[in-house]
Amino acid sequence: MINDELLQKMYEQMIFIRKFETKALEGMRRGKVFGSLHTGVGQEGAQVGVANALEPDDWAFLSHREHGVLLCRGLDPKPFMAELYARKTGTFAGKSGSVHIADLEHGCRGSCAILGGTSALATGAAFANKYKGEKRATIVMFGEGSSNEGYVYESMNLASIWEVPLVFVLMNNKYAISTPIWTTTKTTTFTDRAKAFQIPSATANGMDPVEVYEKMKAALDYVRTGQGPYFLEVNTYRYNPHSGSDNQFLYRTQEEVNWWKQKDPIAAVERLLVDKDLLDADKIKEINKKYDDIVGEAVEYANSSPDPDLDEVFTHVYSSEVTL
Amino acid sequence: MREIKIVDALNEAIREEMLRDENVFCMGEDIGAKGGIFSVTKGLLDEFGAKRVRNTPISENAFTTAAVSMACNGGLRPIVEIMYEDFIGVCWDAIGNQAPKIRYMANGAYEMPIVFRMQGGAGFGEGAQHSQSWENLFCHIPGLIVMMPSTPYDAKGLMKTAIRSNDPVVFIEPCTLYNSKGEVPEEEYLIPIGKADVKREGKDITVVALGQECANALEAAEILAKEGISLEVIDPRTLLPLDFDTVKKSVLKTGRLMVSHVAVKNSGYGAEVAARIVEDKEAFAALKTPVCRVCAVFTPVPYSPVLEKAHFPQVEDIVEAARAMMK
């Protein structure tokens, strides 16, 4: 069982993530954030459960919707927001944006456009760690939509035969942009697919961070034994549209979204903490203010930062050894 | 000096680099006990073991991208064999999308020490899906290095450079030249990235020739010399980045440019070389004739040996094109 301290930490992290992403979306509406921004509002319970189960030295390969994991693992919200704002002071100086952001210092090793490919990147990283005798575990978070890419199954097969310490974390939020999962597969649980590769598996309720944390811990314990990969399917739901700009009510109803909001992970943990006398109205207010301030400062930092210098367009195409 | 085949020169290069650095390792289909379908990795499994010479399942999509991550995240230096250049269709995310972009997107936070080896060209009746030359697709991608040797000396020196490079290298091995022999010193040497080699000096026509066509151009030069036509044959060796200075210098001398490759002419590498020359004021002013491309015709590669020969540029095609340029 997890202790009260961790429960309080996860509660605060969920509030932090939701406020950060909500502000980032606002930035997009104001024309400050460009391209696509995929928020995970509703999925914070799954994110904090996964992130807190990791050891600091473990590596996480993420999807485009896992800003929350980056925040949990320690990415400073100021350069993070500045990256979304495409500023010189951003994590990657305005060259990655939301989709390709990473944080090598805290073991977040990036995400990519072909979503199934992240599984291959994670498999390769886990292989390299094993090759070099490193003890760390690796995880990859990906969606049920990209789970219909052959890329994922080739990767699961490689991870299985190479017996690498890797946890496949499938975040099943039911929709691939607008396409519901029940129209693209007859699978009702993706753990069936893991069985095909002799990969042990479990499912977790993603609206319950405690359950996710415990199942993730067990998954990591397993892969650290060196017996090979593990597969965890986390059932969750995003409340927002796919990205900053689509109309979600073309493909699902407000009633459906409301039904999931009744299961909101922040509200659920809040009730739990209140029941345990670990939280009251004043404390809730205080925590909300704390993260309003932190996120507000990040927005201010991003907004007041300069654009990248124009000659940066040419830097880091190649290593320093190559001149064109 | 001893003479060895290209296939053995490549094998030596890989073996030497594996001895030099334990993070160098090979992966690909059938590269273990069989040593690869053209035997480039023969003997390496016995010497280095299965940890470092790793047979993969037929899963090019995932194992090429996994290798990208082994390089940029894991600090390894993978040499990935893609059995046929044609198979890059299922490796394109790794080669076109991941390896050349990750450093840039992360503002220089990663190195990308990976080599994608593949055989290109054709001539053995393998048909339309095992015979293609797609070097120009790679040359369109900022972030990649593209190499194609035509001699054993260049094959060895370039491969060693490729393995030590911190940039992703696409290394194309012309399959028709694997068994061609040439001088290779015993002692170690490297060939720098982006340095062309003048394979034969001449004064009338600059011929920039890739892979098999470099061998053909040298043969054509012998024939034409008897007619008083002198070819200067340049092998770029590194297609991306191109050693433009060497090509330009030659064109300033000859006033004529021919480009030859076994890839189809349309939008091929010859178009890039020609465009670079005509964009350059001095080189353009030096041209006495229009530039000329001697390349494969714009069809898939046919199976029949007779049709296959008609598809690919032959020595006679270079000879005739040169004669026409001198008229």
Side-chain angles (χ1 to χ4, degrees), chain B residues 129-257:
Chain B
Q129 296 181 341
H130 287 85
S131 301
Q132 296 170 88
S133 295
W134 280 346
E135 65 272 6
N136 223 33
L137 300 184
F138 305 121
C139 290
H140 197 62
I141 308 288
L144 291 180
I145 304 287
V146 183
M147 295 177 176
M148 188 196 292
S150 69
T151 66
Y153 179 87
D154 291 346
K156 183 171 179 187
L158 287 171
M159 179 56 82
K160 287 174 73 85
T161 300
I163 296 167
R164 292 188 199 182
S165 167
N166 283 325
D167 292 290
V169 178
V170 174
F171 196 98
I172 301 169
E173 302 162 5
C175 67
T176 46
L177 296 177
Y178 271 127
N179 290 320
S180 74
K181 281 188 155 186
E183 291 188 342
V184 175
E186 305 272 358
E187 49 294 353
E188 175 164 272
Y189 63 95
L190 298 169
I191 295 174
I193 290 166
K195 189 80 194 88
D197 188 41
V198 179
K199 295 294 184 196
R200 178 184 175 118
E201 291 191 9
K203 61 181 177 48
D204 293 326
I205 304 174
T206 298
V207 183
V208 176
L210 278 49
Q212 174 63 48
E213 290 311 310
C214 194
N216 287 4
L218 290 170
E219 225 179 300
E222 285 293 324
I223 296 166
L224 290 161
K226 293 176 191 132
E227 303 171 16
I229 298 174
S230 161
L231 301 189
E232 176 145 302
V233 179
I234 298 175
D235 183 347
R237 304 192 294 191
T238 308
L239 309 188
L240 177 66
L242 168 66
D243 178 3
F244 180 68
D245 290 346
T246 297
V247 177
K248 177 181 169 180
K249 198 174 143 204
S250 176
V251 170
L252 291 179
K253 176 172 69 172
T254 63
R256 295 179 187 86
L257 173 68

Side-chain angles (χ1 to χ4, degrees), chain A residues 59 61 92-93 95-96 100 102 104 109 112 114 117 120-121 124-125 127-128 131-132 151 154-155 157-158 161-162 312-313 315-319 321-324, chain B residues 22-23 25 51-52 54 57 59-63 65-66 69-70 73-76 93 97-98 103-111 143-145 166-167 240-241:
Chain A
W59 281 358
F61 287 80
F92 290 142
K95 276 183 166 164
S96 79
H100 303 294
L104 306 195
R109 309 295 298 195
C112 64
I114 306 298
L121 291 169
F127 173 93
Y131 185 102
K132 289 190 153 185
Y151 224 158
E154 289 189 10
S155 300
N157 188 50
L158 288 177
I161 56 165
W162 291 344
E312 285 298 313
V313 71
T315 58
H316 303 304
V317 180
Y318 290 94
S319 70
E321 300 149 23
V322 176
T323 43
L324 285 183
Chain B
E22 63 181 18
N23 290 325
F25 82 107
K51 180 184 173 189
R52 297 184 64 193
R54 191 166 284 262
S59 306
E60 296 92 345
N61 191 191
F63 79 65
T65 295
S69 185
M70 294 172 196
N73 289 301
L76 301 182
D93 192 42
N97 216 23
Q98 306 280 12
R103 178 204 307 280
Y104 188 78
M105 294 191 300
N107 200 36
Y110 297 91
E111 300 290 359
L144 291 180
I145 304 287
N166 283 325
D167 292 290
L240 177 66

Side-chain angles (χ1 to χ4, degrees), chain A residues 8 23 66 72 109 158 170 179 189 204 248 258 298 318-319:
Chain A
Q8 284 169 309
K23 278 287 175 196
E66 310 300 351
C72 284
R109 309 295 298 195
L158 288 177
L170 190 154
T179 305
T189 166
Q248 60 177 325
N258 289 346
Y318 290 94
S319 70

Side-chain angles (χ1 to χ4, degrees), chain A residues 41-52:
Chain A
V41 175
Q43 302 185 191
E44 299 92 341
Q47 291 170 343
V48 299
V50 168
N52 284 288

Side-chain angles (χ1 to χ4, degrees), chain B residues 274-295:
Chain B
R276 293 281 296 272
I277 286 294
V278 300
E279 275 176 347
D280 184 281
K281 244 183 188 171
E282 284 179 306
F284 181 67
L287 288 177
K288 298 170 194 162
T289 62
V291 295
C292 167
R293 290 181 287 163
V294 180
C295 311

